Amino acid sequence: MEKEYCAIYLSGTGNTKFCVEKLVKSLDENAPIIAIENSAAISAAAGYKNIIFGYPVQFSNAPKMVRDFILANREVWRGKIVICVATMGAFSGDGAGCAARLFKKCGATVSGGLHLKMPDSVCDSKFLKKSAEEKRQIIRRAEKKIARTVLQIGSGKFPHDGLGIFAHIAGLLGQRLWFYNKTKNYSDKLKIDNTLCVGCGTCVSVCPMKNLTLENQTAAPHGKCTMCYRCISLCPKMAITLVGKKVVEQYRLENFSDGI
Ligand SMILES: Cc1cc2nc3c(=O)[nH]c(=O)nc-3n(C[C@H](O)[C@H](O)[C@H](O)COP(=O)(O)O)c2cc1C
Ligand code: SF4
Ligand code: SF4
């Protein structure tokens, strides 16, 4: 028999994991919460009727790894009921809709879409950077929205953030039409500063795409980056960049939240 909820997510710097965990634990305290890079994610999802699926928005799109994961496992989603949760630094238009449309193509019913503003994760850009107190407030506001959503779902009403036609147009015109090339394929733009890298291997072990290896005691990327920023936020030498030229601030959710 299928069980209640299962949560699956991609999270680079912790925001999405935090939000998905808060939401699903309030709906079903026994729900498994599994990262998409974990090989157990698909077999777990297969046994559940309701899937909460979370990811960070990138240039108003779902990350390439998320899109590939949904399409590669299309047979699993048939008949499932999915709530798409998109976290973002500012705006996405139809962030939740990007995955929702793919799930529908694969035969799932999308019962809800939830957009949650969280601190921005782009560690090598000054754009959207906030003070520590502002980050705490953003996280508190997201927690309140999650609590309201849990009550709504309890009374049979589902949020529809990012799912309608106007959201779709806003996502297209706001960003996706101009920046689609950035998320179309995996990125080969990740840069390692060899003068800073000490070959500790942290980036290699945390990458969900297994995009990094150590060669001659230095990290080397292999052109399959899904731009999650996990390695960039965790490198002890701030040696990794992607969008920008220099690490401005390594974002770590745990510095600004009280945990689940
Ligand atoms: C490459 C990249 C592109 C992003 N694009 C957007 C965007 O278009 N709109 C937005 O509001 N936030 C954007 N963000 C911010 C993230 O979506 C946001 O910080 C998210 O909560 C990070 O979640 P995570 O910690 O689970 O990875 C972007 C982040 C990255 C790394
Ligand atoms: S985490 Fe940083 S220092 Fe460590 S191997 Fe990777 S790039 Fe080098
Ligand atoms: S290389 Fe870094 S930013 Fe790219 S997918 Fe791996 S951990 Fe994420």
Side-chain angles (χ1 to χ4, degrees), residues 145-205:
K145 186 166 180 186
I146 292 167
R148 286 196 305 275
T149 303
V150 170
L151 291 178
Q152 261 185 297
I153 292 177
S155 62
K157 291 191 202 118
F158 289 78
H160 277 78
D161 298 345
L163 300 185
I165 182 68
F166 292 113
H168 195 166
I169 292 167
L172 278 173
L173 295 183
Q175 289 208 81
R176 215 162 43 256
L177 280 182
W178 331 113
F179 295 113
Y180 182 61
N181 273 345
K182 293 198 184 289
T183 51
K184 189 174 168 205
N185 300 309
Y186 290 107
S187 175
D188 59 1
K189 302 276 186 291
L190 196 89
K191 299 168 285 292
I192 314 274
D193 184 335
N194 294 351
T195 63
L196 296 176
C197 174
V198 290
C200 70
T202 301
C203 57
V204 176
S205 61

Side-chain angles (χ1 to χ4, degrees), residues 11 13 26 53 76 103 106 123 143 149 153 168 179 186 192 202 226 242 249 258:
S11 186
T13 60
S26 308
F53 191 86
V76 174
F103 277 118
C106 299
C123 308
E143 289 178 290
T149 303
I153 292 177
H168 195 166
F179 295 113
Y186 290 107
I192 314 274
T202 301
T226 195
L242 177 56
E249 177 191 76
D258 304 326

Side-chain angles (χ1 to χ4, degrees), residues 30-135:
N30 297 316
I33 303 162
I34 310 174
I36 65 173
E37 67 266 28
N38 185 329
S39 55
I42 271 304
S43 51
Y48 286 80
K49 183 168 184 188
N50 297 289
I51 311 283
I52 304 234
F53 191 86
Y55 51 91
V57 165
Q58 295 177 346
F59 302 104
S60 287
N61 203 351
K64 172 78 169 141
M65 183 183 189
V66 163
R67 296 176 348 246
D68 281 356
F69 176 84
I70 296 170
L71 293 175
N73 297 292
R74 53 174 67 236
E75 72 289 350
V76 174
W77 314 122
R78 187 169 305 283
K80 302 287 182 201
I81 300 172
V82 182
I83 300 175
C84 294
V85 178
T87 71
M88 62 203 73
F91 165 83
S92 73
D94 59 344
C98 291
R101 289 190 290 277
L102 295 180
F103 277 118
K104 281 186 198 162
K105 262 192 198 167
C106 299
T109 300
V110 174
S111 63
L114 181 62
H115 284 180
L116 294 163
K117 275 192 199 168
M118 287 292 279
D120 165 63
S121 61
V122 186
C123 308
D124 53 358
S125 163
K126 287 189 182 153
F127 187 60
L128 290 178
K129 289 297 162 283
K130 301 275 192 319
S131 70
E133 187 43 38
E134 284 170 320
K135 288 190 192 98

Side-chain angles (χ1 to χ4, degrees), residues 12 65 186-187 190 203 206-212 221-222 224-232 240 242:
M65 183 183 189
Y186 290 107
S187 175
L190 196 89
C203 57
V206 299
C207 177
M209 285 298 302
K210 300 194 186 338
N211 178 47
L212 294 148
H222 297 286
K224 268 211 119 195
C225 174
T226 195
M227 301 196 292
C228 75
Y229 270 71
R230 196 183 293 169
C231 62
I232 302 168
I240 316 177
L242 177 56

